[in-house]
Amino acid sequence: MSKFTKVNVAGDGSCYFHAVTGFLEMEKLVKYKKTYYKKGNEKDLRKKVVNWLRNNTNFKYPNGLTIKDDIEDELQNNPNLNSISDYLQYMSKESSYAGQIEITATANLLNRSIRVYILKNGQYRNVGLGYQINNSKKEDITIFHNMKPGKSKGDHFEILFPKSKGEVLSKTMYDKLKSKKNKMRRSVKVKRGRRTKRIKRNRTNVRRSKVRRSKVRRSKVRRRSSNSRRSSGSGY
């Protein structure tokens, strides 16, 4: 049984940015261990990623290679691009597909590991794709890379949301559940409020009763004292 729920995103060239921002939005929306897909701001993330690349071309991978080296390799595979500036301008377009270079930039920008899974023998497996910031997997951003030919042309990213974080519902179901939980919470608050008022009322009644008893006792004491004085006076 898979530990992820795959969530589809638009295949419009910005699927990687849709997947990452969608994942982040779903994390924010988790309530009662439930969430739903909400489109994130993929344009803003793309802009930040390109700016990061522009300012960090000398960033070194553990193997000693740099972002600049990776981009120059990409230039050799794309005859329409002649310089790093061309690549960054190309990547600024909404229809440009992101790859390992942009994954590296995103991970460093967000300071979170990004793990990319593929489907192998019917199971989601990580085969080294992505970029690791630290060893903790709790903060991983997990996405799926469809490498099969078809509608996505073999290069499509989607969200893989961990079931440990929350169950993925439709927005309609999520809203119904949230409304139901809110009503229950309000009902509990009302009951607690009534109970508190009842307790306060009982305490007030107890205090009043004590005051009344105290007054009665003082009155009896005064009467006895008065009677005693009268009795002692009648003896002369």
Side-chain angles (χ1 to χ4, degrees):
M1 189 177 189
S2 175
K3 58 183 180 180
F4 299 108
T5 300
K6 185 164 73 71
V7 181
N8 298 328
V9 301
D12 55 3
S14 288
C15 56
Y16 166 75
F17 298 102
H18 284 305
V20 173
T21 55
F23 184 99
L24 297 176
E25 288 295 326
M26 290 176 74
E27 270 190 331
K28 293 177 189 175
L29 290 166
V30 171
K31 204 158 191 178
Y32 314 115
K33 292 292 278 185
K34 313 289 183 185
T35 188
Y36 71 94
Y37 170 68
K38 180 182 178 183
K39 185 176 178 293
N41 192 341
E42 80 287 350
K43 293 179 183 178
D44 182 63
L45 180 60
R46 182 188 283 274
K47 183 178 179 180
K48 288 178 179 177
V49 164
V50 171
N51 284 338
W52 188 94
L53 290 171
R54 184 176 289 110
N55 296 324
N56 292 275
T57 53
N58 292 322
F59 175 87
K60 280 190 177 182
Y61 293 100
N63 62 8
L65 294 175
T66 65
I67 291 287
K68 181 180 178 182
D69 295 327
D70 265 1
I71 293 178
E72 287 176 345
D73 283 344
E74 286 295 319
L75 296 179
Q76 293 179 12
N77 297 324
N78 193 330
N80 297 319
L81 304 177
N82 300 308
S83 65
I84 292 177
S85 180
D86 285 350
Y87 179 85
L88 295 176
Q89 186 175 355
Y90 163 76
M91 192 49 61
S92 297
K93 297 177 181 178
E94 293 179 24
S95 58
S96 298
Y97 286 94
Q100 183 58 47
I101 296 172
E102 290 68 42
I103 291 173
T104 301
T106 308
N108 282 279
L109 187 64
L110 300 176
N111 195 33
R112 293 181 65 174
S113 299
I114 296 178
R115 297 187 190 277
V116 183
Y117 290 78
I118 63 170
L119 196 60
K120 189 175 182 180
N121 298 325
Q123 293 185 327
Y124 294 118
R125 298 186 183 277
N126 177 253
V127 290
L129 296 173
Y131 189 88
Q132 183 171 311
I133 294 292
N134 53 55
N135 293 324
S136 174
K137 293 186 177 182
K138 289 183 179 179
E139 293 299 310
D140 285 358
I141 295 172
T142 47
I143 56 179
F144 172 66
H145 188 204
N146 184 0
M147 301 180 71
K148 290 184 177 182
K151 188 177 180 180
S152 62
K153 299 180 180 178
D155 191 11
H156 183 59
F157 289 98
E158 292 171 308
I159 299 168
L160 281 183
F161 199 78
K163 292 179 180 178
S164 59
K165 287 182 181 285
E167 181 185 357
V168 181
L169 306 176
S170 67
K171 186 179 185 305
T172 302
M173 290 299 295
Y174 178 90
D175 287 341
K176 283 182 179 179
L177 177 66
K178 188 177 177 181
S179 177
K180 183 179 178 181
K181 293 287 186 181
N182 286 340
K183 285 180 181 178
M184 289 173 64
R185 194 162 58 246
R186 285 195 296 269
S187 176
V188 168
K189 283 183 178 180
V190 168
K191 288 180 181 178
R192 284 177 181 170
R194 287 174 180 169
R195 184 185 173 196
T196 301
K197 286 180 180 178
R198 206 160 47 241
I199 291 171
K200 286 181 178 179
R201 190 164 57 245
N202 289 340
R203 286 175 178 171
T204 300
N205 290 337
V206 168
R207 282 196 297 269
R208 287 174 178 171
S209 179
K210 285 181 178 179
V211 169
R212 282 196 297 270
R213 286 199 298 270
S214 178
K215 286 181 178 179
V216 169
R217 281 197 300 269
R218 285 198 298 269
S219 178
K220 286 180 178 179
V221 168
R222 282 196 299 270
R223 282 199 300 271
R224 280 198 295 267
S225 177
S226 178
N227 291 336
S228 177
R229 282 196 299 271
R230 287 194 194 105
S231 297
S232 60
S234 65
Y236 286 100

